[in-house]
């Protein structure tokens, strides 16, 4: 059985009130999260991991938590950083090397490798983002997200056929066992991607912010 992963990346968006509203809508559909065929991973901003975790526990809602970033260092005197040991208290996954981190925070391949190693050291599952089939991929990356730059936040997704071809290529050339597609995924187009043989799920930005749209993505995936 293929398990489809659906990862919501809220980026630097939402406040406590907005998150509470989102959760209040989502909690009306508990059965959406119990299917063994779909695994839903929610990546809120750091300050809200605790709040969301508490809500999920109280409502026995089967969502898994992820972080959007991780410190390249272990714990210590690194002002402003959040380390793997801290993330592990709340989350199981961590997004590493997102294009926005590379572009706005000048993250290099070396930095991304260090972050991935920190994730692994703390038993977090890194979702390593790549922008093309020929990007440098740190060794030991088992889960990748193929996110072509022109598709992120533009409303212009890649074609499912091309994304599938790149996913296959990534699996053949690396240790990756799962490849997600990300970039302008919506409830309307998600199935075209998840139906592809080598695409194991989706990484969703903007369309995960609205609970209704995100519910549609889970239903249609
Ligand atoms: P988008 O973002 O769904 O808003 O295009 C995807 C991502 O950046 O992971």
């Amino acid at each position: 059985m293929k398990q489809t992963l659906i990862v919501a990346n809220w980026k630097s968006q939402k406040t406590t009130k907005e998150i509470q509203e989102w959760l209040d809508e989502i909690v009306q559909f508990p059965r959406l999260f119990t299917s063994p065929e779909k695994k839903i991973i929610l990546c809120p901003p750091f300050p809200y991991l605790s709040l969301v975790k508490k809500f999920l526990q109280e409502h026995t809602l089967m969502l898994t938590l992820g972080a959007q970033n991780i410190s390249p260092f272990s714990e210590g005197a690194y002002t402003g950083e959040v380390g793997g040991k801290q993330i592990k208290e709340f989350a199981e996954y961590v997004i590493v090397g997102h294009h926005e981190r590379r572009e706005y925070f000048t993250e290099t391949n070396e930095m991304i490798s260090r972050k991935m190693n920190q994730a692994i050291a703390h038993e977090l599952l890194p979702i390593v983002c790549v922008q093309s089939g020929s990007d440098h991929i740190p060794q030991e990356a088992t889960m990748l997200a193929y996110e072509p730059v022109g598709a992120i936040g533009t409303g212009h997704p890649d074609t499912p056929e091309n994304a599938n071809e790149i996913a296959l290529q990534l699996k053949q050339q690396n240790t990756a066992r799962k490849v997600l597609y990300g970039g302008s995924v919506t409830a309307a187009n998600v199935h075209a991607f998840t139906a592809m043989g080598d695409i194991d799920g989706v990484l969703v930005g903007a369309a995960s912010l609205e609970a209704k749209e995100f519910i549609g993505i889970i239903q249609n995936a």
Side-chain angles (χ1 to χ4, degrees):
M1 184 194 69
K2 175 175 159 179
Q3 190 189 45
T4 300
L5 279 97
I6 301 164
V7 186
N9 174 13
W10 284 351
K11 308 189 181 183
S12 189
Q13 293 163 115
K14 287 197 184 293
T15 58
T16 305
K17 183 171 173 284
E18 289 162 352
I19 290 173
Q20 197 57 56
E21 285 165 3
W22 192 93
L23 292 169
D24 288 342
E25 277 194 65
I26 289 279
V27 79
Q28 317 283 331
F29 301 85
R31 262 179 291 145
L32 269 188
F33 306 100
T34 55
S35 160
E37 287 160 32
K38 293 175 193 175
K39 185 172 179 74
I40 320 302
I41 300 160
L42 177 60
C43 305
F46 280 130
Y48 306 108
L49 276 170
S50 164
L51 168 106
V52 177
K53 186 179 166 137
K54 196 158 168 270
F55 184 94
L56 298 180
Q57 282 173 340
E58 279 169 8
H59 295 82
T60 47
L61 210 51
M62 304 289 287
L63 264 102
T64 303
L65 285 178
Q68 299 173 18
N69 190 18
I70 182 169
S71 171
F73 299 100
S74 200
E75 72 181 322
Y78 304 104
T79 301
E81 288 296 306
V82 182
K85 194 172 167 185
Q86 297 167 315
I87 295 170
K88 184 66 185 175
E89 290 201 68
F90 304 98
E92 289 175 40
Y93 288 79
V94 60
I95 299 171
V96 175
H98 191 281
H99 170 68
E100 288 149 11
R101 303 272 344 149
R102 296 179 195 249
E103 184 177 353
Y104 304 125
F105 305 96
T106 56
E107 279 191 13
T108 58
N109 289 334
E110 195 225 326
M111 179 68 91
I112 289 159
S113 291
R114 291 177 63 178
K115 290 187 173 201
M116 202 194 74
N117 292 338
Q118 279 301 311
I120 293 171
H122 293 95
E123 292 173 358
L124 291 158
L125 255 155
I127 303 170
V128 180
C129 300
V130 297
Q131 280 73 59
S132 77
S134 54
D135 269 12
H136 167 83
I137 294 162
Q139 267 180 6
E140 293 183 65
T142 54
M143 191 180 298
L144 303 176
Y146 162 58
E147 297 206 304
V149 177
I152 300 174
T154 59
H156 300 293
D158 199 350
T159 63
E161 292 74 19
N162 190 58
N164 192 57
E165 211 170 289
I166 306 265
L168 175 62
Q169 202 179 313
L170 286 167
K171 285 177 186 174
Q172 286 170 339
Q173 292 169 1
N174 303 282
T175 47
R177 272 176 279 136
K178 283 189 183 283
V179 178
L180 315 181
Y181 167 75
S184 299
V185 172
T186 62
N189 67 23
V190 66
H191 189 71
F193 290 100
T194 54
M196 290 284 162
D198 282 296
I199 297 179
D200 302 285
V202 285
L203 178 49
V204 188
S208 71
L209 293 170
E210 287 294 325
K212 273 193 190 61
E213 180 73 11
F214 191 58
I215 288 163
I217 288 176
I218 300 169
Q219 285 169 332
N220 297 346

